[in-house]
Amino acid sequence: MDLQNEWDNMNEEFTVREASSGITANAVQQESKGLYETLRKNLGYKLMWIRIISVPMLIGAFFTSGGLQYLLVGEFLIYEIGRILMMRKLKHMPTGLDYAEVTKSMLVRQLELVNDILKAERIWGFIFIPLSAPIGLIAYQLFAHQDVSALYAGPHALLYLALVIGFALIGLVMAKKMNDIAFSKHIKKLTENIGQMS
């Protein structure tokens, strides 16, 4: 038995294994960087959509008066406060990652921030999505009749209540579905990559 030959073979096998694990680690780091950047970009789009939804309310408030004006300004402020709170968390996430700095602890920290932003948005949605249908009905009544008493005093009050509950449930389900489409696949894959980096 040639010990030198065995030693060389073992050394070569170790070098190949080490090189392949280095390639795998680099691939996981690179993929994680891409996933992180996709999550951050999607959060930016979400904040842009909040602005797109809220600005028309403010514009509408300039062309109305009385209760409808206050209602529209209040809705604008609610959306903007939610947007500002999400933006403050998003600012803690760097816009670009240096490939050499993609470490497990950094990715864990950024993933926690993403989850915190989505959790805050989910809480905001549970509070304000059910209120959006009643606010829409009130806005219509104020615009068309300058009075909201018809909503709860008229013969259609129960129908309005059923519609409000239906729209609230549909809105909550759609919000969850849209977040799942935009974020859940990337969060799951990034979580798997963090596990591989251990």
Side-chain angles (χ1 to χ4, degrees):
M1 183 165 136
D2 185 6
L3 286 176
Q4 183 63 39
N5 191 29
E6 289 296 320
W7 178 258
D8 290 342
N9 286 342
M10 197 169 70
N11 194 22
E12 185 178 313
E13 184 181 318
F14 179 74
T15 305
V16 168
R17 192 179 303 146
E18 191 177 67
S20 69
S21 71
I23 291 168
T24 305
N26 284 341
V28 169
Q29 280 183 321
Q30 187 63 30
E31 183 184 42
S32 299
K33 178 184 175 193
L35 289 167
Y36 167 79
E37 288 171 351
T38 301
L39 284 169
R40 193 181 193 297
K41 184 175 65 173
N42 288 352
L43 287 170
Y45 289 150
K46 180 178 280 292
L47 293 175
M48 180 183 69
W49 273 107
I50 292 171
R51 176 63 54 85
I52 289 170
I53 291 169
S54 68
V55 167
M57 293 178 209
L58 184 62
I59 293 169
F62 284 114
F63 297 103
T64 60
S65 62
L68 182 57
Q69 186 176 41
Y70 296 127
L71 186 69
L72 290 172
V73 169
E75 274 287 289
F76 170 78
L77 290 174
I78 288 169
Y79 274 87
E80 282 302 306
I81 288 169
R83 184 181 178 283
I84 289 167
L85 292 174
M86 289 174 66
M87 186 63 116
R88 288 178 66 191
K89 289 226 181 240
L90 189 64
K91 283 184 179 179
H92 293 292
M93 298 176 68
T95 51
L97 293 180
D98 181 12
Y99 175 68
E101 293 179 6
V102 178
T103 62
K104 179 186 172 191
S105 62
M106 188 275 296
L107 286 174
V108 167
R109 199 169 51 251
Q110 301 310 323
L111 187 59
E112 286 172 359
L113 276 172
V114 169
N115 285 325
D116 285 349
I117 292 169
L118 292 175
K119 182 180 176 186
E121 193 241 353
R122 202 169 22 253
I123 292 168
W124 184 92
F126 276 117
I127 295 169
F128 291 107
I129 287 175
L131 294 176
S132 62
I135 289 172
L137 278 172
I138 291 169
Y140 169 74
Q141 283 297 116
L142 287 172
F143 181 75
H145 307 292
Q146 306 294 318
D147 184 26
V148 293
S149 61
L151 282 177
Y152 56 85
H156 301 295
L158 288 177
L159 175 65
Y160 291 148
L161 181 63
L163 285 173
V164 163
I165 292 170
F167 278 120
L169 293 174
I170 290 169
L172 290 170
V173 168
M174 283 181 58
K176 183 181 182 332
K177 186 97 172 144
M178 289 168 63
N179 273 347
D180 286 347
I181 290 169
F183 298 102
S184 67
K185 178 177 69 172
H186 303 297
I187 289 173
K188 182 179 176 188
K189 184 63 178 163
L190 190 56
T191 305
E192 288 173 10
N193 286 359
I194 288 170
Q196 286 181 17
M197 292 171 83
S198 297

